[in-house]
């Protein structure tokens, strides 16, 4: 049973400790305006930015952790990633984004940031926040993320023994890594990471009009963000999450939950197999 310490340790990732929702986003529509696109790469304070945007009143800012809460989101992200990165299927337009992100007033983190051009086209009125990090520090953090996601046991075992939850999440992770870094091979993804990082920031800066873009530096507090967004400065400190530490704890919890699901799934298959096998034996013999 999860304790308060578990929730504190996992932060936003603590949604994994809950049963989760089962929402089919294809049945949804936009209910709130999407006003902010926070387009910093993963591992650039996206958890802190998600919390900050929520505190400023933007409903349910989307982050990769949102998929852990509603794994069925992956059923839309996966075809979107395949369409853009692999040319398989129809690219998403405003209708599909309203279905998938219609409950969100802001977005941050992957896979949203991979679709930054598409989201800009769909929501031209949205303001853009770009958080960059020292490249060496980002790369060190990104390495840990890649190693966790591309863990062979996760990719080759748990993805198949827990298809309903972990399989969806991991398939989505593999696709966004391949999309961003050109490969889901761990060694090659690390080699490609720095160039992918530079290319992303250069492209966003070259595309977004200056008056719609805030280059925000973590640690600079509420003032520049609130001034840019036209929001009142909160009377509390700007959230600061240790993403490396939190994500490491989350990966452990993720694998444990997937393993627990897998044991249940394997047991069910074994029981069904035994019953069916016994019935066939009695019929034939």
């Amino acid at each position: 049973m999860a304790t308060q310490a578990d929730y504190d340790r996992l932060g936003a990732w603590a949604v994994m400790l809950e049963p989760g929702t089962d929402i089919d986003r294809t049945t949804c529509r936009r209910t709130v305006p999407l006003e902010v696109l926070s387009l910093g790469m993963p591992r650039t304070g996206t958890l802190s930015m998600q919390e900050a945007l929520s505190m400023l009143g933007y409903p349910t800012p989307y982050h990769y952790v949102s998929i852990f809460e509603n794994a069925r989101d992956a059923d839309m992200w996966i075809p979107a990633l395949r369409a853009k990165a692999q040319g398989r299927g129809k690219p998403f337009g405003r209708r599909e984004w309203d279905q998938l992100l219609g409950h969100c007033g802001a977005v941050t983190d992957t896979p949203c940031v991979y679709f930054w051009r598409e989201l800009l086209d769909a929501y031209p009125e949205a303001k853009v926040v770009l958080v960059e990090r020292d490249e060496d520090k980002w790369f060190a953090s990104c390495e840990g993320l890649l190693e966790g996601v591309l863990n062979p046991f996760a990719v080759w075992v748990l993805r198949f023994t827990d298809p309903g939850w972990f399989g969806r999440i991991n398939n989505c992770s593999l696709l966004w890594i391949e999309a961003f870094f050109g490969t889901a091979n761990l060694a090659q993804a690390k080699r490609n990471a720095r160039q992918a990082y530079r290319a992303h920031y250069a492209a966003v800066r070259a595309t977004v009009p200056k008056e719609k873009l805030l280059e925000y530096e973590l640690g600079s507090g509420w003032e520049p963000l609130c001034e840019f967004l036209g929001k009142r400065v909160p009377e509390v400190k700007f959230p600061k999450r240790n993403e490396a530490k939190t994500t490491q704890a989350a990966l452990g919890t993720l694998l444990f939950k997937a393993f627990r699901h897998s044991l249940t799934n394997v047991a069910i298959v074994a029981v069904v197999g035994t019953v069916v096998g016994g019935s066939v034996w009695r019929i034939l013999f």
Side-chain angles (χ1 to χ4, degrees), residues 36 41 61 81 86 108 119-120 123 137 142 148 161-162 181 183 190 197 201 243 248 256 274 280:
V36 182
M41 286 280 277
L81 286 160
Q86 302 173 355
T108 185
L119 293 174
L120 277 175
Y123 308 101
K137 291 180 180 178
C142 184
T161 55
D162 181 21
F181 303 120
T183 177
K190 288 182 179 181
Y197 182 83
Y201 284 92
E243 291 201 17
Q248 184 179 20
F256 178 78
T274 300
V280 171

mmCIF file of all heavy atoms in Angstrom, residues 36 41 61 81 86 108 119-120 123 137 142 148 161-162 181 183 190 197 201 243 248 256 274 280:
data_model
loop_
_atom_site.group_PDB
_atom_site.id
_atom_site.type_symbol
_atom_site.label_atom_id
_atom_site.label_comp_id
_atom_site.label_asym_id
_atom_site.label_seq_id
_atom_site.Cartn_x
_atom_site.Cartn_y
_atom_site.Cartn_z
ATOM 1 N N VAL A 36 -0.937 27.801 -23.874
ATOM 2 C CA VAL A 36 0.521 27.837 -23.696
ATOM 3 C C VAL A 36 1.145 26.549 -24.222
ATOM 4 O O VAL A 36 0.712 25.445 -23.858
ATOM 5 C CB VAL A 36 0.909 28.018 -22.211
ATOM 6 C CG1 VAL A 36 2.434 28.101 -22.073
ATOM 7 C CG2 VAL A 36 0.256 29.256 -21.627
ATOM 8 N N MET A 41 12.836 20.745 -24.421
ATOM 9 C CA MET A 41 13.031 19.303 -24.549
ATOM 10 C C MET A 41 12.827 18.603 -23.211
ATOM 11 O O MET A 41 12.961 19.221 -22.146
ATOM 12 C CB MET A 41 14.446 19.022 -25.059
ATOM 13 C CG MET A 41 14.660 19.326 -26.526
ATOM 14 S SD MET A 41 14.044 18.016 -27.616
ATOM 15 C CE MET A 41 15.425 16.855 -27.579
ATOM 16 N N PRO A 61 -2.227 20.853 -17.390
ATOM 17 C CA PRO A 61 -1.129 20.908 -18.367
ATOM 18 C C PRO A 61 -0.627 19.499 -18.694
ATOM 19 O O PRO A 61 -0.380 18.693 -17.791
ATOM 20 C CB PRO A 61 -0.056 21.726 -17.641
ATOM 21 C CG PRO A 61 -0.818 22.547 -16.653
ATOM 22 C CD PRO A 61 -1.947 21.674 -16.202
ATOM 23 N N LEU A 81 2.580 9.589 -33.859
ATOM 24 C CA LEU A 81 4.031 9.463 -34.016
ATOM 25 C C LEU A 81 4.380 8.696 -35.282
ATOM 26 O O LEU A 81 5.299 9.071 -36.020
ATOM 27 C CB LEU A 81 4.620 8.771 -32.787
ATOM 28 C CG LEU A 81 4.689 9.628 -31.518
ATOM 29 C CD1 LEU A 81 4.814 8.763 -30.272
ATOM 30 C CD2 LEU A 81 5.859 10.603 -31.605
ATOM 31 N N GLN A 86 7.232 8.259 -39.441
ATOM 32 C CA GLN A 86 7.414 7.141 -40.368
ATOM 33 C C GLN A 86 6.578 7.259 -41.631
ATOM 34 O O GLN A 86 6.683 6.420 -42.519
ATOM 35 C CB GLN A 86 7.072 5.828 -39.640
ATOM 36 C CG GLN A 86 7.902 5.571 -38.395
ATOM 37 C CD GLN A 86 7.426 4.351 -37.610
ATOM 38 O OE1 GLN A 86 6.407 3.732 -37.934
ATOM 39 N NE2 GLN A 86 8.161 4.003 -36.558
ATOM 40 N N THR A 108 3.463 20.536 -22.133
ATOM 41 C CA THR A 108 4.903 20.544 -21.952
ATOM 42 C C THR A 108 5.410 19.112 -22.108
ATOM 43 O O THR A 108 4.640 18.154 -22.120
ATOM 44 C CB THR A 108 5.280 21.111 -20.562
ATOM 45 O OG1 THR A 108 6.707 21.206 -20.453
ATOM 46 C CG2 THR A 108 4.756 20.227 -19.441
ATOM 47 N N LEU A 119 1.149 21.735 -33.441
ATOM 48 C CA LEU A 119 0.383 22.423 -32.409
ATOM 49 C C LEU A 119 0.347 23.932 -32.651
ATOM 50 O O LEU A 119 -0.666 24.592 -32.399
ATOM 51 C CB LEU A 119 0.952 22.110 -31.028
ATOM 52 C CG LEU A 119 0.782 20.647 -30.581
ATOM 53 C CD1 LEU A 119 1.502 20.400 -29.256
ATOM 54 C CD2 LEU A 119 -0.693 20.273 -30.452
ATOM 55 N N LEU A 120 1.439 24.487 -33.160
ATOM 56 C CA LEU A 120 1.441 25.904 -33.524
ATOM 57 C C LEU A 120 0.445 26.181 -34.645
ATOM 58 O O LEU A 120 -0.259 27.199 -34.635
ATOM 59 C CB LEU A 120 2.843 26.332 -33.961
ATOM 60 C CG LEU A 120 3.849 26.695 -32.870
ATOM 61 C CD1 LEU A 120 5.207 26.967 -33.481
ATOM 62 C CD2 LEU A 120 3.376 27.926 -32.090
ATOM 63 N N TYR A 123 -3.079 25.817 -33.100
ATOM 64 C CA TYR A 123 -3.421 26.814 -32.078
ATOM 65 C C TYR A 123 -2.514 28.038 -32.231
ATOM 66 O O TYR A 123 -1.638 28.300 -31.393
ATOM 67 C CB TYR A 123 -3.277 26.193 -30.682
ATOM 68 C CG TYR A 123 -4.032 24.901 -30.537
ATOM 69 C CD1 TYR A 123 -3.378 23.667 -30.607
ATOM 70 C CD2 TYR A 123 -5.421 24.896 -30.370
ATOM 71 C CE1 TYR A 123 -4.075 22.474 -30.506
ATOM 72 C CE2 TYR A 123 -6.130 23.711 -30.265
ATOM 73 C CZ TYR A 123 -5.451 22.502 -30.339
ATOM 74 O OH TYR A 123 -6.150 21.326 -30.242
ATOM 75 N N LYS A 137 24.694 19.260 -18.930
ATOM 76 C CA LYS A 137 23.825 18.785 -17.854
ATOM 77 C C LYS A 137 22.602 18.087 -18.432
ATOM 78 O O LYS A 137 22.149 17.068 -17.913
ATOM 79 C CB LYS A 137 23.408 19.955 -16.968
ATOM 80 C CG LYS A 137 24.559 20.540 -16.151
ATOM 81 C CD LYS A 137 24.081 21.698 -15.287
ATOM 82 C CE LYS A 137 25.238 22.265 -14.471
ATOM 83 N NZ LYS A 137 24.808 23.429 -13.643
ATOM 84 N N CYS A 142 19.609 13.171 -19.830
ATOM 85 C CA CYS A 142 18.955 12.458 -20.929
ATOM 86 C C CYS A 142 19.481 11.030 -21.041
ATOM 87 O O CYS A 142 18.719 10.103 -21.340
ATOM 88 C CB CYS A 142 19.182 13.210 -22.235
ATOM 89 S SG CYS A 142 18.341 12.499 -23.663
ATOM 90 N N GLY A 148 16.760 4.138 -18.941
ATOM 91 C CA GLY A 148 15.593 3.603 -18.264
ATOM 92 C C GLY A 148 14.523 3.142 -19.233
ATOM 93 O O GLY A 148 13.973 2.043 -19.093
ATOM 94 N N THR A 161 4.187 -8.763 -21.761
ATOM 95 C CA THR A 161 3.444 -9.428 -20.690
ATOM 96 C C THR A 161 2.450 -8.502 -20.004
ATOM 97 O O THR A 161 1.562 -8.962 -19.302
ATOM 98 C CB THR A 161 4.416 -10.009 -19.640
ATOM 99 O OG1 THR A 161 5.287 -8.956 -19.169
ATOM 100 C CG2 THR A 161 5.255 -11.136 -20.228
ATOM 101 N N ASP A 162 2.602 -7.172 -20.206
ATOM 102 C CA ASP A 162 1.634 -6.206 -19.679
ATOM 103 C C ASP A 162 1.234 -5.245 -20.805
ATOM 104 O O ASP A 162 1.519 -4.042 -20.759
ATOM 105 C CB ASP A 162 2.239 -5.433 -18.503
ATOM 106 C CG ASP A 162 1.269 -4.421 -17.898
ATOM 107 O OD1 ASP A 162 0.043 -4.576 -18.095
ATOM 108 O OD2 ASP A 162 1.739 -3.469 -17.241
ATOM 109 N N PHE A 181 15.418 11.184 -31.840
ATOM 110 C CA PHE A 181 16.841 10.874 -31.943
ATOM 111 C C PHE A 181 17.193 10.008 -33.153
ATOM 112 O O PHE A 181 18.350 9.633 -33.327
ATOM 113 C CB PHE A 181 17.311 10.193 -30.658
ATOM 114 C CG PHE A 181 17.045 11.014 -29.422
ATOM 115 C CD1 PHE A 181 16.253 10.531 -28.401
ATOM 116 C CD2 PHE A 181 17.582 12.284 -29.292
ATOM 117 C CE1 PHE A 181 15.984 11.292 -27.268
ATOM 118 C CE2 PHE A 181 17.329 13.051 -28.165
ATOM 119 C CZ PHE A 181 16.532 12.556 -27.155
ATOM 120 N N THR A 183 16.517 6.947 -33.807
ATOM 121 C CA THR A 183 16.725 5.519 -33.553
ATOM 122 C C THR A 183 16.254 5.181 -32.146
ATOM 123 O O THR A 183 16.228 6.053 -31.268
ATOM 124 C CB THR A 183 18.212 5.150 -33.680
ATOM 125 O OG1 THR A 183 18.404 3.766 -33.371
ATOM 126 C CG2 THR A 183 19.079 5.969 -32.738
ATOM 127 N N LYS A 190 22.109 7.941 -27.928
ATOM 128 C CA LYS A 190 23.018 8.804 -27.164
ATOM 129 C C LYS A 190 23.921 9.601 -28.096
ATOM 130 O O LYS A 190 24.177 10.799 -27.864
ATOM 131 C CB LYS A 190 23.861 7.955 -26.208
ATOM 132 C CG LYS A 190 23.103 7.384 -25.021
ATOM 133 C CD LYS A 190 24.044 6.606 -24.112
ATOM 134 C CE LYS A 190 23.329 6.035 -22.911
ATOM 135 N NZ LYS A 190 24.243 5.297 -22.008
ATOM 136 N N TYR A 197 19.015 17.858 -29.904
ATOM 137 C CA TYR A 197 18.729 18.934 -28.952
ATOM 138 C C TYR A 197 18.949 20.295 -29.601
ATOM 139 O O TYR A 197 18.080 21.171 -29.563
ATOM 140 C CB TYR A 197 19.645 18.749 -27.743
ATOM 141 C CG TYR A 197 19.476 19.746 -26.625
ATOM 142 C CD1 TYR A 197 18.489 19.578 -25.668
ATOM 143 C CD2 TYR A 197 20.332 20.835 -26.504
ATOM 144 C CE1 TYR A 197 18.348 20.481 -24.617
ATOM 145 C CE2 TYR A 197 20.197 21.747 -25.467
ATOM 146 C CZ TYR A 197 19.208 21.560 -24.527
ATOM 147 O OH TYR A 197 19.066 22.455 -23.493
ATOM 148 N N TYR A 201 15.912 23.367 -30.715
ATOM 149 C CA TYR A 201 15.883 24.752 -30.254
ATOM 150 C C TYR A 201 16.086 25.730 -31.401
ATOM 151 O O TYR A 201 15.428 26.792 -31.450
ATOM 152 C CB TYR A 201 16.921 24.956 -29.151
ATOM 153 C CG TYR A 201 16.456 24.386 -27.836
ATOM 154 C CD1 TYR A 201 16.774 23.077 -27.482
ATOM 155 C CD2 TYR A 201 15.650 25.125 -26.971
ATOM 156 C CE1 TYR A 201 16.313 22.528 -26.295
ATOM 157 C CE2 TYR A 201 15.196 24.589 -25.775
ATOM 158 C CZ TYR A 201 15.529 23.289 -25.448
ATOM 159 O OH TYR A 201 15.057 22.763 -24.279
ATOM 160 N N GLU A 243 14.223 16.531 -11.466
ATOM 161 C CA GLU A 243 13.672 15.592 -12.437
ATOM 162 C C GLU A 243 14.468 14.293 -12.507
ATOM 163 O O GLU A 243 13.897 13.216 -12.666
ATOM 164 C CB GLU A 243 13.598 16.237 -13.817
ATOM 165 C CG GLU A 243 12.554 17.338 -13.892
ATOM 166 C CD GLU A 243 12.120 17.639 -15.309
ATOM 167 O OE1 GLU A 243 12.370 16.819 -16.203
ATOM 168 O OE2 GLU A 243 11.526 18.699 -15.519
ATOM 169 N N GLN A 248 14.069 8.759 -11.745
ATOM 170 C CA GLN A 248 14.695 7.492 -11.357
ATOM 171 C C GLN A 248 13.764 6.703 -10.441
ATOM 172 O O GLN A 248 13.575 5.486 -10.625
ATOM 173 C CB GLN A 248 16.028 7.754 -10.652
ATOM 174 C CG GLN A 248 16.792 6.480 -10.301
ATOM 175 C CD GLN A 248 18.127 6.779 -9.633
ATOM 176 O OE1 GLN A 248 18.340 7.862 -9.098
ATOM 177 N NE2 GLN A 248 19.024 5.811 -9.656
ATOM 178 N N PHE A 256 8.093 -1.984 -11.447
ATOM 179 C CA PHE A 256 7.473 -2.841 -10.430
ATOM 180 C C PHE A 256 5.991 -3.049 -10.726
ATOM 181 O O PHE A 256 5.477 -4.168 -10.634
ATOM 182 C CB PHE A 256 7.658 -2.230 -9.038
ATOM 183 C CG PHE A 256 7.012 -3.024 -7.946
ATOM 184 C CD1 PHE A 256 7.606 -4.184 -7.462
ATOM 185 C CD2 PHE A 256 5.794 -2.628 -7.408
ATOM 186 C CE1 PHE A 256 7.009 -4.936 -6.453
ATOM 187 C CE2 PHE A 256 5.185 -3.370 -6.403
ATOM 188 C CZ PHE A 256 5.790 -4.524 -5.925
ATOM 189 N N THR A 274 -4.814 -24.169 -18.652
ATOM 190 C CA THR A 274 -5.037 -25.424 -17.944
ATOM 191 C C THR A 274 -6.474 -25.913 -18.136
ATOM 192 O O THR A 274 -6.725 -27.093 -18.396
ATOM 193 C CB THR A 274 -4.740 -25.252 -16.448
ATOM 194 O OG1 THR A 274 -3.372 -24.865 -16.282
ATOM 195 C CG2 THR A 274 -4.995 -26.544 -15.693
ATOM 196 N N VAL A 280 -9.983 -30.181 -23.573
ATOM 197 C CA VAL A 280 -9.585 -30.850 -24.827
ATOM 198 C C VAL A 280 -9.172 -32.286 -24.550
ATOM 199 O O VAL A 280 -9.529 -33.216 -25.296
ATOM 200 C CB VAL A 280 -8.448 -30.058 -25.509
ATOM 201 C CG1 VAL A 280 -7.887 -30.863 -26.687
ATOM 202 C CG2 VAL A 280 -8.926 -28.703 -25.970
#
